Amino acid sequence: DIVMTQSPDSLAVSLGERATINCKSSQSVLYSSNKKNYLAWYQQKPGQPPKLLIYWASTRESGVPDRFSGSGSGTDFTLTISSLQAEDVALYHCQQYYSTPTFGQGTKLEIK
Amino acid sequence: EVQLVESGGGLVQPGGSLRLSCAASGFTFSSYWMHWVRQVPGKGLVWVSRINSDESSTTYADSVKGRFTISRDNAKNTLYLQMNSLRAEDTAVYYCARDLYNSGRTDAFDIWGQGTMVIVSS
């Protein structure tokens, strides 16, 4: 299975500042035939199920604020929140769907 | 409103069985691959199983293969997970989730239920 490793495990950012979460896969999740990265990001608030934010590494799901963006290719990916809002406090997960789906361990985002 | 609602969780002894259900509404259930994903509270997510739209294809994580069975009833818009020979390490919140696309499978998940807790303990 592809191992997904997120960094950092936790992150504290001031309101209005940029938050960056990294995700690394143990092998490439870029499918050569369609040039798509099989990588998704989810947000999970306490007591709630995960919510899809980003898929194909950089496609924002409908209704997701544009302060959320995804980037990267191959094995290295980043979720960026351009200006942190109080409602963004959550656990963030990356997931590869290139092969049997696997998730990162999660990154806890808090307000500094 | 597109919605998934799980039920059937609870406390069960090691070696016991439980059947989870996931009722779908607000979309054409029969068009989508469906999945089960579990999460130990406070920990990461783990994919468990998937089933295609007409039940002809099922896949399982190695950790549950031979013990869990995924199925669906498209007439009832309901997904199931039959869990047998349960172990303490199966303790988790179980989520049903819809595949991102209704044409083919991606293994990304755009709709999640609220989850149902399964506790395996004596």
Side-chain angles (χ1 to χ4, degrees):
Chain A
D1 287 358
I2 297 176
V3 176
M4 306 299 290
T5 304
Q6 293 179 229
S7 61
D9 289 334
S10 63
L11 180 63
V13 175
S14 300
L15 290 173
E17 295 300 305
R18 179 186 300 261
T20 301
I21 299 171
N22 300 300
C23 176
K24 188 174 185 68
S25 57
S26 61
Q27 64 188 76
S28 176
V29 299
L30 174 62
Y31 195 42
S32 56
S33 66
N34 61 11
K35 299 291 188 284
K36 287 187 172 183
N37 286 283
Y38 285 56
L39 190 285
W41 289 97
Y42 301 87
Q43 175 194 66
Q44 187 177 26
K45 296 182 179 180
Q48 294 186 19
K51 172 189 173 183
L52 178 65
L53 296 176
I54 303 282
Y55 55 96
W56 303 130
S58 61
T59 301
R60 202 178 301 115
E61 172 71 329
S62 175
V64 173
D66 61 6
R67 65 180 180 273
F68 290 90
S69 63
S71 62
S73 185
T75 61
D76 293 280
F77 300 91
T78 299
L79 175 70
T80 302
I81 307 171
S82 59
S83 177
L84 189 71
Q85 305 299 303
E87 60 264 33
D88 300 335
V89 168
L91 185 63
Y92 290 84
H93 309 269
C94 64
Q95 178 226 339
Q96 66 78 21
Y97 46 103
Y98 181 90
S99 62
T100 302
T102 51
F103 294 85
Q105 80 277 17
T107 294
K108 186 176 182 181
L109 178 58
E110 300 173 312
I111 304 294
K112 184 187 293 184
Chain B
E1 180 191 6
V2 175
Q3 197 172 9
L4 297 171
V5 178
E6 302 94 337
S7 60
L11 175 64
V12 61
Q13 292 188 339
S17 298
L18 215 52
R19 188 175 86 151
L20 306 183
S21 299
C22 169
S25 59
F27 66 98
T28 306
F29 177 73
S30 59
S31 295
Y32 287 84
W33 284 75
M34 295 295 296
H35 304 260
W36 289 98
V37 178
R38 69 185 181 185
Q39 183 180 34
V40 174
K43 302 294 185 182
L45 298 159
V46 177
W47 175 82
V48 172
S49 182
R50 65 177 172 236
I51 187 168
N52 72 338
S53 56
D54 68 2
E55 214 171 1
S56 60
S57 174
T58 60
T59 312
Y60 301 91
D62 287 345
S63 58
V64 306
K65 202 172 295 182
R67 301 188 298 123
F68 289 12
T69 302
I70 190 172
S71 62
R72 64 193 296 163
D73 185 333
N74 287 338
K76 295 182 178 180
N77 290 337
T78 302
L79 176 72
Y80 302 100
L81 186 67
Q82 177 67 43
M83 303 187 296
N84 298 330
S85 303
L86 281 161
R87 306 166 180 168
E89 54 265 34
D90 296 318
T91 295
V93 176
Y94 284 74
Y95 296 101
C96 61
R98 189 181 81 171
D99 202 277
L100 176 61
Y101 287 165
N102 64 356
S103 54
R105 169 176 62 89
T106 65
D107 288 341
F109 318 117
D110 68 337
I111 303 296
W112 296 67
Q114 285 294 319
T116 187
M117 185 74 205
V118 172
I119 300 173
V120 184
S121 176
S122 54

